[in-house]
Amino acid sequence: MELDVILFVLRIASAIALLAFVGAVFIVLLRDYRRTIDQTQAYRRQYGRLISLTTIEGHLLETGQSYALLPLTSMGRSPTNAVVIADDFASSEHALIALRNNQWWLEDRNSRNGTSLNGERIDGPIIITHGDVIGIGNYGFRLELE
């Protein structure tokens, strides 16, 4: 009779251990799922916008188009970019705007004709702020941050 009681207690203990393990795995998966949802929502969140400008007789005028500013916004002629630029002077992957350490950075992606910031050509990654105008080919994009 004692052996039956010991086996019964061991079965109950192993069942409780198995349930505890399954519960721990469920909690870890739930936390990971929530973290992924938060990261996805942060990526989809708009941080501002880019207002499209075009050069007409030496002056930049608004075209009426605006593009959402995401933590990683690519610009260029290729349709895979977040901001597609229909200009022969734009490279397929021309420039990149990225949010790094709570600052916005503009980076030229080794384009043939270069990228300008407020009328001056940039050589490397540079910090950008609200109101800056990014120049690519015959187009400009005014940065409006929220």
Side-chain angles (χ1 to χ4, degrees), residues 54-94:
T54 187
T55 305
I56 298 177
E57 297 178 9
H59 300 288
L60 284 173
L61 302 174
E62 283 191 28
T63 64
Q65 284 186 304
S66 69
Y67 301 92
L69 186 62
L70 301 172
L72 195 62
T73 305
S74 59
M75 304 171 77
R77 209 173 52 225
S78 173
T80 58
N81 290 302
V83 179
V84 178
I85 304 168
D87 188 352
D88 292 335
F89 293 106
S91 298
S92 59
E93 293 180 8
H94 197 97

Short mmCIF file of all heavy atoms in Angstrom, two decimals, residues 54-94:
data_model
loop_
_atom_site.label_atom_id
_atom_site.label_comp_id
_atom_site.label_asym_id
_atom_site.label_seq_id
_atom_site.Cartn_x
_atom_site.Cartn_y
_atom_site.Cartn_z
N THR A 54 8.64 71.28 -55.25
CA THR A 54 9.27 71.16 -56.56
C THR A 54 9.87 72.50 -56.96
O THR A 54 9.41 73.55 -56.53
CB THR A 54 8.27 70.66 -57.63
OG1 THR A 54 8.97 70.40 -58.83
CG2 THR A 54 7.17 71.67 -57.88
N THR A 55 10.90 72.45 -57.78
CA THR A 55 11.58 73.67 -58.22
C THR A 55 10.92 74.19 -59.49
O THR A 55 10.84 73.50 -60.50
CB THR A 55 13.06 73.38 -58.52
OG1 THR A 55 13.66 72.79 -57.36
CG2 THR A 55 13.81 74.64 -58.87
N ILE A 56 10.40 75.42 -59.40
CA ILE A 56 9.82 76.09 -60.56
C ILE A 56 10.44 77.47 -60.63
O ILE A 56 10.29 78.28 -59.71
CB ILE A 56 8.28 76.19 -60.45
CG1 ILE A 56 7.67 74.79 -60.41
CG2 ILE A 56 7.72 77.01 -61.61
CD1 ILE A 56 6.18 74.76 -60.25
N GLU A 57 11.17 77.72 -61.71
CA GLU A 57 11.85 78.99 -61.94
C GLU A 57 12.73 79.38 -60.75
O GLU A 57 12.75 80.52 -60.31
CB GLU A 57 10.84 80.10 -62.25
CG GLU A 57 10.05 79.85 -63.52
CD GLU A 57 9.02 80.94 -63.78
OE1 GLU A 57 9.02 81.96 -63.08
OE2 GLU A 57 8.21 80.74 -64.70
N GLY A 58 13.43 78.41 -60.21
CA GLY A 58 14.36 78.68 -59.12
C GLY A 58 13.73 78.77 -57.75
O GLY A 58 14.42 79.02 -56.77
N HIS A 59 12.42 78.59 -57.62
CA HIS A 59 11.74 78.67 -56.33
C HIS A 59 11.13 77.31 -55.97
O HIS A 59 10.64 76.60 -56.85
CB HIS A 59 10.63 79.72 -56.37
CG HIS A 59 11.12 81.10 -56.67
ND1 HIS A 59 11.84 81.83 -55.77
CD2 HIS A 59 11.01 81.86 -57.78
CE1 HIS A 59 12.14 83.01 -56.30
NE2 HIS A 59 11.66 83.05 -57.54
N LEU A 60 11.16 76.98 -54.70
CA LEU A 60 10.54 75.74 -54.25
C LEU A 60 9.07 76.00 -53.92
O LEU A 60 8.76 76.87 -53.10
CB LEU A 60 11.25 75.20 -53.01
CG LEU A 60 12.59 74.52 -53.25
CD1 LEU A 60 13.27 74.18 -51.94
CD2 LEU A 60 12.41 73.26 -54.07
N LEU A 61 8.18 75.28 -54.56
CA LEU A 61 6.75 75.42 -54.32
C LEU A 61 6.17 74.07 -53.90
O LEU A 61 6.60 73.03 -54.39
CB LEU A 61 6.03 75.90 -55.59
CG LEU A 61 6.52 77.24 -56.16
CD1 LEU A 61 5.82 77.51 -57.48
CD2 LEU A 61 6.24 78.36 -55.18
N GLU A 62 5.19 74.10 -53.00
CA GLU A 62 4.57 72.86 -52.53
C GLU A 62 3.79 72.19 -53.65
O GLU A 62 3.11 72.86 -54.43
CB GLU A 62 3.62 73.14 -51.36
CG GLU A 62 4.33 73.36 -50.05
CD GLU A 62 3.39 73.36 -48.87
OE1 GLU A 62 2.32 72.71 -48.94
OE2 GLU A 62 3.72 74.01 -47.87
N THR A 63 3.88 70.87 -53.70
CA THR A 63 3.12 70.11 -54.70
C THR A 63 1.81 69.59 -54.13
O THR A 63 0.97 69.11 -54.87
CB THR A 63 3.93 68.90 -55.21
OG1 THR A 63 4.15 68.01 -54.12
CG2 THR A 63 5.23 69.33 -55.82
N GLY A 64 1.65 69.68 -52.82
CA GLY A 64 0.44 69.18 -52.18
C GLY A 64 0.56 67.75 -51.69
O GLY A 64 -0.34 67.24 -51.04
N GLN A 65 1.67 67.08 -52.00
CA GLN A 65 1.86 65.72 -51.54
C GLN A 65 2.60 65.72 -50.21
O GLN A 65 3.50 66.53 -50.00
CB GLN A 65 2.68 64.91 -52.54
CG GLN A 65 1.92 64.48 -53.76
CD GLN A 65 2.78 63.56 -54.61
OE1 GLN A 65 3.87 63.93 -54.99
NE2 GLN A 65 2.26 62.37 -54.88
N SER A 66 2.19 64.82 -49.34
CA SER A 66 2.93 64.64 -48.09
C SER A 66 3.11 63.15 -47.86
O SER A 66 2.30 62.33 -48.29
CB SER A 66 2.21 65.30 -46.92
OG SER A 66 1.02 64.61 -46.61
N TYR A 67 4.19 62.82 -47.19
CA TYR A 67 4.55 61.43 -46.92
C TYR A 67 4.75 61.27 -45.42
O TYR A 67 5.33 62.14 -44.77
CB TYR A 67 5.84 61.05 -47.64
CG TYR A 67 5.76 61.22 -49.14
CD1 TYR A 67 6.16 62.42 -49.74
CD2 TYR A 67 5.29 60.20 -49.95
CE1 TYR A 67 6.09 62.58 -51.11
CE2 TYR A 67 5.22 60.35 -51.32
CZ TYR A 67 5.61 61.54 -51.90
OH TYR A 67 5.54 61.70 -53.25
N ALA A 68 4.27 60.14 -44.89
CA ALA A 68 4.43 59.86 -43.47
C ALA A 68 5.91 59.65 -43.15
O ALA A 68 6.63 59.00 -43.90
CB ALA A 68 3.63 58.63 -43.09
N LEU A 69 6.33 60.21 -42.04
CA LEU A 69 7.71 60.03 -41.58
C LEU A 69 7.72 58.88 -40.58
O LEU A 69 7.10 58.95 -39.53
CB LEU A 69 8.22 61.32 -40.93
CG LEU A 69 9.68 61.35 -40.54
CD1 LEU A 69 10.56 61.18 -41.76
CD2 LEU A 69 10.02 62.63 -39.83
N LEU A 70 8.39 57.80 -40.95
CA LEU A 70 8.50 56.62 -40.11
C LEU A 70 9.89 56.57 -39.51
O LEU A 70 10.79 57.30 -39.94
CB LEU A 70 8.22 55.37 -40.95
CG LEU A 70 6.85 55.33 -41.62
CD1 LEU A 70 6.76 54.16 -42.58
CD2 LEU A 70 5.75 55.28 -40.59
N PRO A 71 10.13 55.71 -38.51
CA PRO A 71 11.47 55.64 -37.92
C PRO A 71 12.57 55.33 -38.93
O PRO A 71 13.71 55.68 -38.73
CB PRO A 71 11.36 54.51 -36.90
CG PRO A 71 9.93 54.45 -36.56
CD PRO A 71 9.18 54.85 -37.80
N LEU A 72 12.20 54.70 -40.04
CA LEU A 72 13.15 54.44 -41.11
C LEU A 72 12.43 54.74 -42.42
O LEU A 72 11.58 53.99 -42.86
CB LEU A 72 13.61 52.98 -41.07
CG LEU A 72 14.83 52.62 -41.87
CD1 LEU A 72 16.05 53.39 -41.36
CD2 LEU A 72 15.10 51.14 -41.79
N THR A 73 12.74 55.89 -43.03
CA THR A 73 12.07 56.35 -44.24
C THR A 73 13.09 56.40 -45.37
O THR A 73 14.03 57.19 -45.33
CB THR A 73 11.44 57.74 -44.03
OG1 THR A 73 10.58 57.69 -42.89
CG2 THR A 73 10.67 58.18 -45.24
N SER A 74 12.88 55.55 -46.37
CA SER A 74 13.78 55.53 -47.52
C SER A 74 13.22 56.41 -48.64
O SER A 74 12.01 56.51 -48.81
CB SER A 74 13.97 54.10 -48.02
OG SER A 74 12.73 53.54 -48.38
N MET A 75 14.11 57.03 -49.39
CA MET A 75 13.72 57.93 -50.46
C MET A 75 14.49 57.57 -51.72
O MET A 75 15.68 57.28 -51.66
CB MET A 75 14.03 59.38 -50.07
CG MET A 75 13.40 59.82 -48.78
SD MET A 75 13.97 61.43 -48.22
CE MET A 75 13.06 62.48 -49.30
N GLY A 76 13.80 57.58 -52.86
CA GLY A 76 14.46 57.28 -54.11
C GLY A 76 13.48 56.96 -55.22
O GLY A 76 12.27 57.06 -55.04
N ARG A 77 14.00 56.59 -56.37
CA ARG A 77 13.19 56.33 -57.56
C ARG A 77 12.51 54.96 -57.52
O ARG A 77 11.48 54.76 -58.14
CB ARG A 77 14.08 56.45 -58.79
CG ARG A 77 13.36 56.89 -60.03
CD ARG A 77 14.28 57.16 -61.18
NE ARG A 77 15.19 56.04 -61.42
CZ ARG A 77 16.48 56.17 -61.65
NH1 ARG A 77 17.04 57.35 -61.68
NH2 ARG A 77 17.24 55.13 -61.86
N SER A 78 13.07 54.02 -56.83
CA SER A 78 12.53 52.66 -56.78
C SER A 78 11.17 52.62 -56.07
O SER A 78 10.97 53.32 -55.06
CB SER A 78 13.52 51.75 -56.04
OG SER A 78 12.96 50.48 -55.85
N PRO A 79 10.24 51.80 -56.56
CA PRO A 79 8.92 51.73 -55.92
C PRO A 79 8.94 51.07 -54.54
O PRO A 79 7.94 51.10 -53.84
CB PRO A 79 8.09 50.90 -56.90
CG PRO A 79 9.05 50.20 -57.77
CD PRO A 79 10.30 51.01 -57.78
N THR A 80 10.06 50.51 -54.13
CA THR A 80 10.15 49.90 -52.80
C THR A 80 10.43 50.93 -51.71
O THR A 80 10.38 50.59 -50.53
CB THR A 80 11.26 48.84 -52.77
OG1 THR A 80 12.49 49.45 -53.12
CG2 THR A 80 10.94 47.70 -53.73
N ASN A 81 10.70 52.17 -52.08
CA ASN A 81 10.98 53.22 -51.10
C ASN A 81 9.69 53.74 -50.48
O ASN A 81 8.62 53.69 -51.09
CB ASN A 81 11.72 54.39 -51.77
CG ASN A 81 13.12 54.01 -52.15
OD1 ASN A 81 13.91 53.62 -51.31
ND2 ASN A 81 13.44 54.12 -53.43
N ALA A 82 9.80 54.29 -49.28
CA ALA A 82 8.65 54.91 -48.63
C ALA A 82 8.26 56.19 -49.35
O ALA A 82 7.08 56.53 -49.44
CB ALA A 82 8.97 55.20 -47.17
N VAL A 83 9.23 56.92 -49.86
CA VAL A 83 9.00 58.13 -50.64
C VAL A 83 9.57 57.88 -52.04
O VAL A 83 10.78 57.83 -52.23
CB VAL A 83 9.68 59.37 -50.00
CG1 VAL A 83 9.45 60.61 -50.84
CG2 VAL A 83 9.19 59.58 -48.58
N VAL A 84 8.67 57.71 -53.01
CA VAL A 84 9.08 57.45 -54.39
C VAL A 84 9.21 58.78 -55.12
O VAL A 84 8.26 59.58 -55.14
CB VAL A 84 8.08 56.53 -55.11
CG1 VAL A 84 8.50 56.29 -56.55
CG2 VAL A 84 7.95 55.21 -54.36
N ILE A 85 10.37 59.02 -55.71
CA ILE A 85 10.66 60.29 -56.38
C ILE A 85 10.76 60.03 -57.88
O ILE A 85 11.65 59.32 -58.34
CB ILE A 85 11.98 60.90 -55.86
CG1 ILE A 85 11.89 61.08 -54.34
CG2 ILE A 85 12.27 62.22 -56.53
CD1 ILE A 85 13.21 61.40 -53.69
N ALA A 86 9.83 60.62 -58.63
CA ALA A 86 9.80 60.45 -60.09
C ALA A 86 10.67 61.52 -60.74
O ALA A 86 10.18 62.49 -61.30
CB ALA A 86 8.37 60.52 -60.60
N ASP A 87 11.98 61.35 -60.62
CA ASP A 87 12.93 62.32 -61.17
C ASP A 87 14.14 61.55 -61.69
O ASP A 87 14.65 60.66 -61.01
CB ASP A 87 13.34 63.31 -60.08
CG ASP A 87 14.16 64.46 -60.61
OD1 ASP A 87 14.56 64.45 -61.79
OD2 ASP A 87 14.43 65.39 -59.83
N ASP A 88 14.61 61.90 -62.88
CA ASP A 88 15.77 61.23 -63.46
C ASP A 88 17.05 61.49 -62.67
O ASP A 88 18.02 60.75 -62.80
CB ASP A 88 15.97 61.65 -64.91
CG ASP A 88 14.85 61.13 -65.80
OD1 ASP A 88 14.23 60.11 -65.44
OD2 ASP A 88 14.59 61.74 -66.86
N PHE A 89 17.08 62.55 -61.87
CA PHE A 89 18.26 62.88 -61.08
C PHE A 89 18.30 62.13 -59.75
O PHE A 89 19.26 62.23 -59.01
CB PHE A 89 18.34 64.39 -60.82
CG PHE A 89 18.60 65.18 -62.06
CD1 PHE A 89 17.59 65.92 -62.65
CD2 PHE A 89 19.85 65.17 -62.65
CE1 PHE A 89 17.82 66.65 -63.81
CE2 PHE A 89 20.10 65.89 -63.81
CZ PHE A 89 19.08 66.63 -64.39
N ALA A 90 17.24 61.38 -59.43
CA ALA A 90 17.20 60.61 -58.20
C ALA A 90 17.67 59.19 -58.46
O ALA A 90 17.34 58.59 -59.48
CB ALA A 90 15.78 60.59 -57.64
N SER A 91 18.46 58.65 -57.55
CA SER A 91 18.91 57.26 -57.65
C SER A 91 17.79 56.35 -57.16
O SER A 91 16.85 56.79 -56.51
CB SER A 91 20.16 57.05 -56.80
OG SER A 91 21.21 57.86 -57.27
N SER A 92 17.93 55.06 -57.44
CA SER A 92 16.87 54.14 -57.02
C SER A 92 16.76 54.08 -55.50
O SER A 92 15.68 53.99 -54.95
CB SER A 92 17.10 52.75 -57.60
OG SER A 92 18.34 52.25 -57.19
N GLU A 93 17.87 54.12 -54.81
CA GLU A 93 17.89 54.24 -53.34
C GLU A 93 18.75 55.45 -53.02
O GLU A 93 19.95 55.33 -52.81
CB GLU A 93 18.44 52.97 -52.71
CG GLU A 93 17.53 51.78 -52.90
CD GLU A 93 18.08 50.52 -52.25
OE1 GLU A 93 19.10 50.60 -51.54
OE2 GLU A 93 17.49 49.46 -52.47
N HIS A 94 18.14 56.60 -52.97
CA HIS A 94 18.87 57.86 -52.94
C HIS A 94 19.29 58.27 -51.52
O HIS A 94 20.46 58.58 -51.27
CB HIS A 94 18.03 58.97 -53.58
CG HIS A 94 18.81 60.16 -53.95
ND1 HIS A 94 19.28 60.38 -55.22
CD2 HIS A 94 19.24 61.21 -53.21
CE1 HIS A 94 19.95 61.52 -55.26
NE2 HIS A 94 19.94 62.04 -54.04
#
